Each structure stands twice: as structure tokens, then as C-alpha cells.
Amino acid sequence: MDMKRNRRLQPWPGSSSDRGSVGGASRPASERKTGGILLRLAMILVVILVFIPLMPIVSRSKRNPLRPAAEKGHFDVNAGLDEEFIESSKSQKAEVDKFLGGLLASGIEEQSCLSRYQSALYRKASSRSPSPYLLKRLRKYEELHKKCGPNSDLYNRTVNQLKPGQSSPGITECNYVVWISYSGLGNRILTLASTFLYALLTNRVLLIDRGVDMTVLFCEPFPWSSWLLPLDFPVSQFKSFDINSPESYGNMLKNKVISKGLAGALLPSYMYLHLGHDYGEHDKLFFCEDDQNLLQKIPWLVLRSDNYFAPSLFLIPNYEGELHQLFPEKDTVFHHLGRYLLHPSNSVWGLITRYYHAYLSKADEKLGIQIRVFESESGPFQHVLDQVLACTIKQSILPEISKNESMIITAADHRSKAVLITSLSTGYFKMIRNMYWEHPSKTGDIIGVYQPSHEEHQQTEKQIHNMKAWAEMYLLSLTDVLVTSAWSTFGYVAQGLGGLKPWILVKPENRTVPNPPCLLAMSMEPCFHAPPFYDCRTKRGVDTGALVPHVTHCEDMSWGLKLVDRDEW
Ligand SMILES: *[C@@H]1O[C@H](CO)[C@@H](O)[C@H](O)[C@H]1NC(C)=O
Ligand SMILES: *[C@@H]1O[C@H](CO)[C@@H](O)[C@H](O)[C@H]1NC(C)=O
Ligand SMILES: *[C@@H]1O[C@H](CO)[C@@H](O)[C@H](O)[C@H]1NC(C)=O
């Protein structure tokens, strides 16, 4: 029996099952071991005594007051991590950088959000470092959030201005952007990252509407103070704000309730920003410099969107300099902000790590395939399967099959590939799995095909469904090579978190396999599906994908906009 494999980290010290073996023949060995440990401890002590005076004083992490009660009792996630796995992850990366290059602050209690500190064990270290300026701004943001967050004195004072009959006090110390939980999970993750970027740019505090499942899906991202909008938020109707709401910036402009020359004191204390895909021309003025100057005078902005609107923020002159400093590499916005902000809750982390260890961790190579079909019928469709195979085989992502059934493969001298398929239907998974069961691969590679869940149709705000969807996006982000469907926000999240440039399956027309079947993405950034095409200065239509080199049209949607790392034409 391979003892090494069986030795698992136990949740409680001393509960190890091999404790009973102390005594008899094993005693001398364990004593030798104890002697070795003592020696090592002594050496560590010497190292500490010598080096501590040389090290900068690191502030000790204080306990985080926030700790969602619902998350307690989920600590057994640790039990799924075997020592061998931790050791091998460490040796591969010299030292596991659990703070992701300084992106994550210390000061959040580890047990309250295991994914925050363990993600580095599962994901290859990112080749893209956050800029020192981004790190500085994140720390500054955390201070602001602490000062102005829920229950702080300043929050209480600012929220009082929202009570009926109050007008805007002009300049306030704390300003907020409230994110409304809206749309499918992939979209929500993209809008959260965009809204947080907007908060950073405008020195606002991000507070989120918890919707039906935000607290079940995500950890608190900021040390010291919650990001959840308090339930007694006085603008109680905010969740029903939509394109027709008179409180929207677009409608206030259209109805001439406000105008750009208006002094702060005459402006309302809150405004609704409608940035959903169906937004109108007045709403789109949000992306203009003058309008941003006006919005800066409003302490409370309530924002609803289902789009990754970050690319258009790069076209607003007010923010250009700051964005350039924050993201010298323009194609890393979601990669850094997503990994900073979005940590799976302990329950979702359990789904992720159990699946990972059961099906993916042993493979030499991991491939993720996200299949999203935009047809009214549920499928599976032959042309989609053909397209997936045409893409993966043409690009040598998956091997061809051999018709020589007598080719026998032994595990010892062949590589293993784990293929993780995510799709609403199980048809593609079954067909690909059977293909590699019924036939050997020409390369001799051993192909294991797995699909965590299937729901047959997309459901929006259902808890366990979304927990699994989040786990699947995250698992895809842990793969080495990623193939995604055009237009899929689910795929965007996976590629951004994973730092992966995916192969994008071109959207099929007329139910035929497109030629080429897939394209390599220009960058790992998500696509903004509904950008404005308006030149704020000339007040005319303009191709916003042709104004600056780093904001260009998406591979998978010709009218969409995405960020690429390109400073020269
Ligand atoms: C802010 O108000 C809440 C109740 O609305 C209260 O519990 C809290 O103590 C207040 N915070 C401060 C600092 O006064
Ligand atoms: C089929 O594979 C076996 C084992 O690898 C090999 O000996 C044989 O020559 C192959 N047959 C053909 C027709 O390629
Ligand atoms: C799809 O089919 C329609 C009608 O058969 C045809 O007019 C159109 O050009 C086809 N589109 C493509 C991209 O092949």
C-alpha cells in the first residue's frame, strides 16, 4: 500500500488513524524522526533570530469581524487536500504565493474564506503581475471601505441624506456605488468587476445588493468591513429600477430634471444608472466626460448592468491617466480585479476542490471546453459536436482517434489528458467520452472526459444551480488550455480568472460548422456586448472600437468592444 498517498491532513491534530501504531517495532523509527524534528526546529529558530531584525515589520493580521455565520462548519474542505498535493504544488512554485503578487491583503481570517488563500495551490502562478500602483490603490480602497462601509459613522450620516426630502449636500466624504444583483451569474461577475473598477476610478465605495444568492456564492472581499448593502437601505424600491425609472440618469436628462450646469446642491442625493444591454441614448451618456463630471457630485449611484462595461471606461478622458497607471498591461483588468474581488464561498470551494481532486488533479494536462449553444432548442446538435472536434483536433488540443483497435496503451509511458466539459446538455460530453473509449488515440494519450453538471436550460437566480455554475467556471479557469463558445460570459469569467487566452468557437450560422471552426483570442479580457457608439465631443456616431489601440472589436462579436494589450497601431 502506498502510505504516502494515504497520509491525509486531518482536520483535528492527533486524529490521524496511524496514531495507534506508535509502540512496538515502529518506536525506534518514530524516535529518530522526533530527533530530526527537534534539530530542524532548532535550525528554524536560529534562522528566525538571525533574520527577524532584518525584515520590515509586517503588520499582524487582525481578526476579521465579518464572518458569515452560514459558512461556519464548512472547514472540512481541508480534508480534501492531501499532503502530497500541497507539497508538490509548493515545489513546483518554489513558494506558493497565496497573496497573488500582493493583490490580496492580509487581514481576512483564513477559515472564513478558504478559497482566498488556497487558490494559489490549484492555479498556476499568473504570468501577469499587478502594477505597484494597482496594489497601492487597492490598499487605499480598503481603507476607504473601512471608513465608509456599512455601520460606520460616515455611512450612517451619508445614508441619512437619502431619507425623503433631502437634497444633495454637495461634497461628501463618502460616496457610493450600489450594484444591483441582476442577470445570470456569468454576467453578474462581469458587471461586479466593471462596477468595482468604476468605484476605484471615482473613489466610491462599492456596496452590493445581496440578491437571492450573493452571500451563498462569494466571500466578503474587503478586510474590516462588509460589501453587503444593509437591508435597511432607505431607497427601498431600488431593485425595481429599470429603463423607465424617472430616477435614472438618462431619464432625468431626457426629461430635463437635471442639466449639466446645475450646482451640486440642486442635484438629487442618489441617481440610478441604467447600463443594461437595452439602455437608451441618454443612459449611454454615462460614458462621456461631462456627464462623469456631473455624476461625481452625486453621493449615491445605484447601478444595474448585465455587461462588462470596463472597455468603454477606457475611452473617457477623465480616467485615461489613472487607468494607464493602474493597468499598464491593458488586457489584465478582469484578470486582476476578478482574482482580487471574487472568491468562492467555502461551500462553493468544497464543490471545486472535491471535483478537482476526484477528476482533474492527476492528469498531465487539463483541457476545458465550455459549450454554449444559442439555439431555441436544447440540442445536442451534430454541427456543434463536429465544430468542437474540428477545432480541438485541428489545433492539436485533442488527439485524433485511431481505427487500429489493437493498439494497446499502457499508462506508464503515455500522457493523460483530463477534458472538463461544461454545457447545459450532456450530449457532447457523452459523445466525446465514448469516442475516446471506443477508439485509441493516435498519439496514445489517455483521454478522460468529465462533465460536472447539466441543467438542460439556463436558470438565473437559483441557489444550488448557481453554486455549481460558479464552481464550473472556476474549474475551467484551472485548466491549461481553454476552448469557449462565442458570446459566452461563462467562458469569459473562466479565461479571465485563469489568465488564459482561449480558443473561441466561432458562432455557427445555419447550423453548419464554420470555417475556421475556432480562433485564438487576442486577449483574455471579456467582451463588452453592448457598447455605445457615440463621440461625446462631436455628438455624432463613431466607431468606438477604432479610437485607441487598446480598445478594439471582439473576435466573437463584431460590434462588441474588448481590451487588448496594444499600445502601437
Ligand atoms: C450606524 O447605525 C446603525 C443602525 O442603523 C447602528 O447599529 C450603528 O451603531 C451606527 N454606527 C455608528 C458608528 O454610530
Ligand atoms: C495496430 O497497432 C498494433 C499495436 O501497436 C501494431 O502492432 C499494428 O502494426 C497496428 N496495425 C496497423 C494496421 O497499423
Ligand atoms: C444561411 O442561409 C440563408 C438561407 O438559406 C442564406 O441566405 C444565408 O446566406 C446563409 N448564411 C450563411 C452564413 O451561410
Side-chain angles (χ1 to χ4, degrees):
M1 196 167 63
D2 183 350
M3 290 308 288
K4 202 162 166 243
R5 261 178 205 286
N6 278 331
R7 211 161 15 116
R8 298 201 161 256
L9 274 189
Q10 298 294 326
W12 324 115
S15 70
S16 164
S17 56
D18 52 34
R19 213 166 52 152
S21 71
V22 176
S26 70
R27 193 175 283 255
S30 66
E31 272 169 6
R32 242 180 292 138
K33 214 171 169 186
T34 317
I37 290 170
L38 285 176
L39 191 70
R40 231 184 289 171
L41 279 176
M43 281 166 65
I44 291 171
L45 203 65
V46 170
V47 170
I48 290 173
L49 290 175
V50 171
F51 284 99
I52 274 199
L54 304 176
M55 290 197 305
I57 293 161
V58 180
S59 65
R60 294 293 307 143
S61 59
K62 294 171 204 151
R63 280 177 72 88
N64 188 348
L66 318 160
R67 179 157 154 196
E71 293 296 328
K72 288 177 188 165
H74 280 282
F75 305 155
D76 49 354
V77 179
N78 266 329
L81 280 177
D82 59 46
E83 243 175 80
E84 186 187 8
F85 172 71
I86 295 179
E87 285 310 316
S88 74
S89 312
K90 278 184 185 160
S91 60
Q92 277 162 21
K93 292 165 200 165
E95 184 156 345
V96 175
D97 171 22
K98 64 179 181 177
F99 296 109
L100 311 180
L103 208 53
L104 304 182
S106 56
I108 290 189
E109 196 198 339
E110 195 148 346
Q111 292 293 328
S112 71
C113 185
L114 296 166
S115 66
R116 217 181 128 85
Y117 298 107
Q118 292 182 359
S119 73
L121 296 169
Y122 291 82
R123 186 173 286 144
K124 276 187 282 189
S126 175
S127 59
R128 316 298 290 274
S129 311
S131 70
Y133 187 72
L134 173 61
L135 303 184
K136 201 175 104 192
R137 286 293 285 109
L138 291 174
R139 300 296 89 81
K140 199 175 138 203
Y141 176 83
E142 287 156 3
E143 288 300 322
L144 180 74
H145 199 103
K146 179 183 174 186
K147 190 174 82 176
C148 303
N151 285 324
S152 67
D153 179 43
L154 283 163
Y155 172 85
N156 286 359
R157 276 196 260 160
T158 321
V159 89
N160 271 334
Q161 295 153 8
L162 291 170
K163 309 258 160 83
Q166 304 272 343
S167 67
S168 171
I171 293 164
T172 48
E173 223 174 319
C174 297
N175 299 289
Y176 300 85
V177 55
V178 175
W179 173 91
I180 301 178
S181 179
Y182 168 57
S183 189
L185 183 59
N187 301 61
R188 278 192 268 160
I189 289 176
L190 299 177
T191 61
L192 257 177
S194 309
T195 308
F196 181 59
L197 177 61
Y198 185 65
L200 281 181
L201 291 173
T202 55
N203 280 314
R204 287 176 184 273
V205 171
L206 169 67
L207 296 180
I208 69 160
D209 154 31
R210 56 195 83 195
V212 298
D213 56 9
M214 291 303 287
T215 56
V216 178
L217 298 172
F218 299 98
C219 296
E220 290 276 356
F222 309 124
W224 328 125
S225 179
S226 177
W227 70 339
L228 300 175
L229 182 72
L231 293 169
D232 59 359
F233 184 61
V235 186
S236 53
Q237 77 281 23
F238 78 96
K239 286 188 203 203
S240 53
F241 283 160
D242 64 16
I243 188 166
N244 298 314
S245 303
E247 293 93 341
S248 83
Y249 180 58
N251 288 330
M252 284 193 181
L253 281 180
K254 194 158 80 183
N255 303 330
K256 304 203 161 40
V257 179
I258 53 166
S259 65
K260 285 174 201 161
L262 224 50
L266 298 170
L267 291 168
S269 45
Y270 74 88
M271 235 182 239
Y272 165 57
L273 299 172
H274 184 77
L275 300 180
H277 64 277
D278 59 347
Y279 61 164
E281 55 176 310
H282 287 92
D283 299 309
K284 291 180 185 175
L285 294 174
F286 169 80
F287 293 103
C288 290
E289 182 166 27
D290 290 349
D291 303 78
Q292 282 300 320
N293 289 336
L294 181 147
L295 290 170
Q296 271 168 25
K297 299 176 198 155
I298 316 279
W300 291 88
L301 296 177
V302 181
L303 188 154
R304 180 199 295 273
S305 176
D306 51 5
N307 261 268
Y308 183 67
F309 58 84
S312 289
L313 297 177
F314 279 74
L315 301 176
I316 307 175
N318 318 34
Y319 305 133
E320 267 178 343
E322 181 76 3
L323 282 166
H324 181 73
Q325 276 189 283
L326 287 168
F327 299 101
E329 299 178 321
K330 309 286 190 304
D331 59 340
T332 58
V333 174
F334 184 77
H335 181 55
H336 293 320
L337 295 185
R339 290 179 311 145
Y340 172 75
L341 201 62
L342 303 160
H343 305 284
S345 65
N346 286 352
S347 340
V348 176
W349 190 238
L351 292 174
I352 293 166
T353 52
R354 285 190 293 276
Y355 201 89
Y356 186 87
H357 289 289
Y359 304 107
L360 305 177
S361 63
K362 306 286 188 302
D364 295 311
E365 192 183 320
K366 294 177 273 294
L367 163 66
I369 305 179
Q370 146 68 5
I371 302 174
R372 177 86 166 92
V373 179
F374 294 86
E375 296 269 0
S376 45
E377 297 145 68
S378 61
F381 298 95
Q382 186 64 40
H383 71 279
V384 175
L385 177 70
D386 292 344
Q387 182 184 9
V388 170
L389 293 174
C391 169
T392 50
I393 290 172
K394 185 175 172 194
Q395 303 301 339
S396 306
I397 299 167
L398 278 177
E400 278 183 81
I401 52 167
S402 162
K403 299 286 177 196
N404 182 353
E405 316 287 311
S406 55
M407 196 171 143
I408 301 299
I409 293 165
T410 52
D413 46 17
H414 289 92
R415 288 172 58 76
S416 61
K417 283 195 188 199
V419 183
L420 177 73
I421 295 184
T422 61
S423 168
L424 297 175
S425 145
T426 52
Y428 310 105
F429 151 71
K430 285 180 183 159
M431 288 188 275
I432 296 172
R433 182 192 58 186
N434 286 345
M435 188 178 107
Y436 287 108
W437 181 30
E438 290 166 7
H439 308 281
S441 68
K442 277 191 177 168
T443 54
D445 287 351
I446 298 162
I447 314 294
V449 185
Y450 311 98
Q451 176 168 349
S453 65
H454 59 97
E455 303 279 341
E456 304 305 335
H457 56 275
Q458 197 174 12
Q459 309 176 30
T460 33
E461 295 208 342
K462 204 171 160 195
Q463 285 195 0
I464 183 68
H465 166 80
N466 279 331
M467 286 168 68
K468 288 184 177 171
W470 180 207
E472 290 189 4
M473 283 183 237
Y474 205 96
L475 284 164
L476 284 173
S477 81
L478 302 177
T479 59
D480 304 302
V481 179
L482 191 58
V483 177
T484 62
S485 295
W487 297 19
S488 165
T489 54
F490 203 101
Y492 295 159
V493 171
Q495 75 200 38
L497 293 178
L500 300 162
K501 271 188 198 174
W503 289 92
I504 303 175
L505 297 164
V506 176
K507 198 163 178 296
E509 299 282 343
N510 291 347
R511 298 197 175 176
T512 54
V513 178
N515 184 23
C518 58
L519 303 165
L520 185 63
M522 294 177 282
S523 80
M524 59 177 151
E525 274 286 302
C527 176
F528 181 7
H529 288 176
F533 293 104
Y534 180 72
D535 185 330
C536 303
R537 268 166 290 209
T538 62
K539 301 195 176 5
R540 274 203 294 264
V542 71
D543 179 2
T544 42
L547 298 176
V548 295
H550 51 273
V551 179
T552 188
H553 291 292
C554 311
E555 307 85 346
D556 58 334
M557 186 178 275
S558 59
W559 61 90
L561 291 185
K562 78 182 281 184
L563 290 160
V564 293
D565 191 35
R566 204 193 282 157
D567 276 323
E568 309 295 326
W569 285 102

